[in-house]
Structures are given as C-alpha cells and as structure tokens.
Amino acid sequence: GAVVSQHPSRVICKSGTSVKIECRSLDFQATTMFWYRQFPKQSLMLMATSNEGSKATYEQGVEKDKFLINHASLTLSTLTVTSAHPEDSSFYICSALGQGAHGYTFGSGTRLTVV
Amino acid sequence: AQSVSQHNHHVILSEAASLELGCNYSYGGTVNLFWYVQYPGQHLQLLLKYFSGDPLVKGIKGFEAEFIKSKFSFNLRKPSVQWSDTAEYFCAASNNAGNMLTFGGGTRLMVKP
C-alpha cells in the first residue's frame, strides 16, 4: 500500500536553530501534501497545504517565514522550522494525496522539542 | 508498540443506512482518542474526541463514538448516513501528554444516493 516516510521521528534542538522535517511518498506521487501540528490535549491543526511545484498555502495565524514548506518534487515535501523556540515544540505530521494512493496517507509524525 | 487499527478499508452504504466504523488501539497508559474525517480534496476535520469522562462521545454532523476500555475500541457510529458523508475517516490516538499521534489506516466510506 501507499507509504509516506517521515523523518526524523523525534528531534531535540536548541533554541534559535532550524530543523527540517521530511516527508517522502515511497510508492506514489504526492501531488498534494498537508502539514499538521498537534498541541498537547488538542486535535490536529492544519498548518499549510502544498501542491507540487507551487507555493504552499498557509492557514491563518501560521507564519510562513517561520515554517518553510518546500514541495519541489512529487515524492518529497519538507517543513523547516526556522529559528525554533520552545513554543514550537509540538508534534508535526504530514499527509499526502496523490495518484495511485489509497486516499490520504499519513507520515508517522515528528516530535520536536526545542530546549 | 503503539498502534491504531481500522479493519474496514472500504465501506459502501445506501443513504439512511446505519454506520459503524471499527477502531482498535494498542496503547500503554492513558489514551486520548480522536476521529477525523477528510472529504475529497480537503484537509482533515475533527469529528469528535475522547479524553476522559463519559465514554459515549457525541461529535459534529450526528456522529458519535463509544470508548470501551475493556475492548480497546473506539468505534464511530451514525444512525443514518447521507450522501454527503462520503469521505475518508481516520481514527487516531495519543498518550495523555499528546507527545505522539498515531493514526489508523483510514476507512473510505461511500454512500450511494
């Protein structure tokens, strides 16, 4: 079946540094990628939607200069948290939609801790 | 290992039929449970969630789910589906700290008019 590989699964970084999270579709072409964030005790929050080859569409309240999304190919999308701060600590997960995929496929998620 | 299983990959129903989608989880400690829906071309939307309290949870659009701890289940139900309920449904679980979220494989529901 369709698989989305998300790396890293856990990352700890220092405040002020940048962290890149990758999502790769392994056996299908992901034309659309959704990036979500979950705060403790809350449900997922959509951060942005990206289509291959075009700029991501960010949800209201999400800083596009802080959360850089790149979807340069049909099999890879990246989320870079720039100048991370402790309040960026969260669980980030991607979801891909593409031709040949069984509906939407989720990555395994990334737990980011900023110290 | 933490896991969430949705055994029905595809479900086809006629309008007005009753719906029950299965969700079983394997989680250590206190678990938080969610059901999400994703309509074609759209992002995930939360249907309902369970953190604690009454194990019968009512969500939006007439959906409900029951947390049965002894069965490690959190099945989603709706008494009478509509064509507009055609979508993909995801069950998800996290631990009490919300550190990691694990999704089931999803169930694609098609409701025939």
Side-chain angles (χ1 to χ4, degrees), chain A residues 9-10 34 36 38-44 46 49 59 91 93 95 97 101-104 106 108-111, chain B residues 9-10 34 36 38-44 46 49 51 88 90 94 96-101 103 105-106 108:
Chain A
S9 58
R10 296 175 188 266
F34 301 96
Y36 299 89
Q38 185 188 26
F39 294 96
K41 292 278 190 178
Q42 297 185 29
S43 63
L44 284 178
L46 177 68
T49 303
E59 296 299 301
F91 180 79
I93 194 166
S95 170
L97 176 68
H102 168 67
Y104 301 90
F106 285 91
S108 53
T110 298
R111 176 64 188 167
Chain B
H9 298 300
H10 287 92
F34 307 84
Y36 290 90
Q38 193 158 18
Y39 298 102
Q42 299 184 27
H43 63 273
L44 282 178
L46 179 68
K49 61 186 177 185
F51 286 165
E88 191 150 10
F90 294 91
S94 71
N96 209 31
N99 289 330
M100 301 291 283
L101 187 67
F103 278 87
R108 185 177 286 183

Side-chain angles (χ1 to χ4, degrees), chain A residues 28-105:
Chain A
F28 68 99
Q29 295 181 327
T31 53
T32 303
M33 191 77 78
F34 301 96
W35 285 94
Y36 299 89
R37 178 178 179 177
Q38 185 188 26
F39 294 96
K41 292 278 190 178
Q42 297 185 29
S43 63
L44 284 178
M45 179 192 78
L46 177 68
M47 299 175 66
T49 303
S50 72
N51 293 297
E52 183 268 337
S54 59
K55 291 184 178 180
T57 302
Y58 289 81
E59 296 299 301
Q60 190 172 10
V62 178
E63 300 176 61
K64 61 181 180 181
D65 294 331
K66 181 171 185 60
F67 298 99
L68 301 178
I69 291 174
N70 185 286
H71 193 170
S73 79
L74 285 170
T75 59
L76 175 65
S77 179
T78 60
L79 167 66
T80 302
V81 183
T82 63
S83 187
H85 289 98
E87 56 265 32
D88 298 325
S89 298
S90 190
F91 180 79
Y92 296 85
I93 194 166
C94 63
S95 170
L97 176 68
Q99 296 176 348
H102 168 67
Y104 301 90
T105 305

Side-chain angles (χ1 to χ4, degrees), chain B residues 41-79:
Chain B
Q42 299 184 27
H43 63 273
L44 282 178
Q45 297 177 44
L46 179 68
L47 279 178
L48 46 82
K49 61 186 177 185
Y50 172 79
F51 286 165
S52 63
D54 189 343
L56 184 60
V57 181
K58 294 196 181 296
I60 62 172
K61 304 185 181 187
F63 286 91
E64 65 178 31
E66 185 173 10
F67 171 56
I68 303 179
K69 189 174 182 180
S70 61
K71 295 184 178 181
F72 300 94
S73 69
F74 190 58
N75 292 356
L76 180 71
R77 300 194 293 249
K78 185 171 183 177

Side-chain angles (χ1 to χ4, degrees), chain A residues 102, chain B residues 5-11 20-23 89 105-108:
Chain A
H102 168 67
Chain B
S5 299
Q6 291 178 245
H7 302 295
N8 309 105
H9 298 300
H10 287 92
V11 173
E20 181 161 2
L21 301 182
C23 173
Y89 293 81
T107 298
R108 185 177 286 183

